[in-house]
Amino acid sequence: APLVLRLVAASVSVAEKAGAIVRNVFNSGELGVVEKDGKNDLQTQADRSAQECIVQSLSRQFPKVTIIGEEEPTGETVDESHLETRLSEEVLKVVCPQNLQSVKDEDVVVWVDPLDGTKEYTEGFLDHVTVLIGVAVNGKAVAGVINQPYYNYKAGPGATLGRTMWGIVGLGAFGVERLVPPADKRIVTTTRSHSNKLVTESIEAMQPDEVLRVGGAGHKVLLVIEGKAHAYVFATPGCKKWDTCAPEAILHALGGRLTDIHGNALQYHRDVKHPNTGGVLATYSDHDWYLSRMPESVKAAVKP
Ligand SMILES: Nc1ncnc2c1ncn2[C@@H]1O[C@H](COP(=O)(O)O)[C@@H](OP(=O)(O)O)[C@H]1O
Ligand SMILES: [Mg+2]
Ligand SMILES: [Mg+2]
Ligand SMILES: [Mg+2]
């Protein structure tokens, strides 16, 4: 199978394993919280172990592919029980889009967020948490895998806990379906724990009927895909390439758009600076309307 398909097939299995690690750490009660850059930029044992699972599992199978993860390696010996080397059969049976069939190792960067929504994870907002593995080819997000370890956790004992979604631009997405949001109101989603004046000003400018302040970039893009929100608006730096690569690819695969707040495409090549300094705007429709509503003062402060 072509490299991109094998990478996605491996990432689906690896993301499921990482999702199980995220649940196990929470069940253990030993979150091992470390402040990286103040009380709103945390790392837990789940971030560390899930990152080890993903980066070690993928780098052993794809030694020539560049893999960039959010967390620093711990330097401890690798826990072999965290490795996952199976390939998802569901992925291997699809036909890879023509333009991605002959991609070479050196054209690829894999962006890994082992746990997106860490702050919310430590506060028990468990459905805000996702595991994100994005595949970029020549600087563009082309494929993504999202595992949501606590999907359905409020649905009662009969429900299956957790889900995995994946998509390839030009093919489509699986494990998640596009649902249309209410037509009679405008619902905007944004950060819950990283707000500031720019965020507030830009949200107000969109004249929303409702604002969903929730954790996780992956989670917020899922709200847009599944019609719970019309737009994800984040007009401040903060968010990084590993936060957006996988969600962007899946949203694009389903016909939506994710850009910075000026309408520029995000870049994902290996030398790019990690922060999305131009902010994030994700929509399904009316993208240009949201861009046009963005205040000039905010645009001047949030440059790509
Ligand atoms: N001001 C900031 N400082 C550090 N990280 C930020 C940030 N603003 C956003 N982020 C990161 O972007 C992701 C989405 O943020 P939010 O949930 O607030 O919308 C989170 O990823 P992680 O949870 O993987 O670290 C968060 O840490
Ligand atoms: Mg983090
Ligand atoms: Mg994140
Ligand atoms: Mg993270």
Side-chain angles (χ1 to χ4, degrees):
L3 174 64
V4 170
L5 272 198
R6 283 185 289 119
L7 264 171
V8 174
S11 298
V12 164
S13 305
V14 165
E16 277 167 5
K17 177 90 179 186
I21 291 173
V22 169
R23 287 190 296 261
N24 289 342
V25 170
F26 196 81
N27 289 341
S28 79
E30 307 273 340
L31 290 197
V33 179
V34 173
E35 287 188 7
K36 292 200 289 188
D37 184 21
K39 64 176 171 40
N40 288 329
D41 194 4
L42 305 178
Q43 185 199 64
T44 70
Q45 189 56 48
D47 299 70
R48 294 186 287 277
S49 295
Q51 160 115 356
E52 175 187 75
C53 161
I54 299 165
V55 173
Q56 290 294 330
S57 300
L58 292 181
S59 63
R60 289 183 188 197
Q61 295 176 81
F62 304 95
K64 290 193 286 183
V65 168
T66 300
I67 302 172
I68 303 177
E70 175 181 357
E71 313 303 341
E72 296 289 327
T74 58
E76 288 165 23
T77 24
V78 174
D79 181 343
E80 298 282 330
S81 77
H82 286 165
L83 301 183
E84 172 62 71
T85 52
R86 282 173 294 186
L87 299 181
S88 159
E89 290 296 329
E90 178 195 327
V91 178
L92 289 180
K93 69 183 187 223
V94 305
V95 179
C96 186
Q98 194 73 41
N99 62 316
L100 297 175
Q101 281 187 4
S102 49
V103 170
K104 295 190 256 337
D105 297 78
E106 53 273 26
D107 304 331
V108 177
V109 181
V110 177
W111 293 94
V112 176
D113 188 343
L115 198 169
D116 183 47
T118 301
K119 178 79 175 168
E120 282 68 27
Y121 178 66
T122 65
E123 295 175 3
F125 296 95
L126 297 176
D127 47 352
H128 298 194
V129 169
T130 57
V131 173
L132 306 175
I133 306 178
V135 178
V137 171
N138 297 323
K140 297 275 165 248
V142 301
V145 176
I146 302 181
N147 178 276
Q148 191 176 23
Y150 286 97
Y151 176 67
N152 257 347
Y153 88 115
K154 287 176 180 157
T160 316
L161 189 62
R163 60 171 171 170
T164 305
M165 300 148 271
W166 62 277
I168 301 178
V169 177
L171 175 72
F174 303 83
V176 62
E177 217 184 318
R178 162 69 180 155
L179 298 172
V180 181
D184 57 345
K185 54 179 174 178
R186 184 177 308 116
I187 308 167
V188 173
T189 185
T190 194
T191 184
R192 178 181 160 275
S193 55
H194 299 99
S195 197
N196 58 33
K197 197 156 168 284
L198 293 165
V199 169
T200 316
E201 272 175 28
S202 56
I203 295 288
E204 268 169 22
M206 304 307 156
Q207 299 180 321
D209 298 293
E210 235 180 274
V211 182
L212 304 176
R213 297 183 193 279
V214 297
H219 177 225
K220 283 187 274 289
V221 172
L222 289 175
L223 293 181
V224 171
I225 290 176
E226 297 190 299
K228 304 272 174 34
H230 295 78
Y232 166 22
V233 182
F234 190 64
T236 191
C239 202
K240 320 292 193 304
K241 299 300 172 185
W242 44 75
D243 292 307
T244 47
C245 187
E248 175 181 337
I250 294 179
L251 180 65
H252 279 187
L254 289 168
R257 246 177 111 186
L258 188 149
T259 65
D260 71 12
I261 63 150
H262 308 270
N264 302 306
L266 301 187
Q267 304 297 323
Y268 294 98
H269 47 82
R270 81 193 75 226
D271 306 315
V272 80
K273 58 181 172 6
H274 295 161
N276 289 312
T277 49
V280 177
L281 174 66
T283 66
Y284 228 97
S285 52
D286 304 320
H287 201 85
D288 293 335
W289 182 85
Y290 289 91
L291 291 172
S292 74
R293 300 286 308 179
M294 198 59 75
E296 289 303 325
S297 59
V298 173
K299 285 201 269 187
V302 185
K303 291 269 177 55

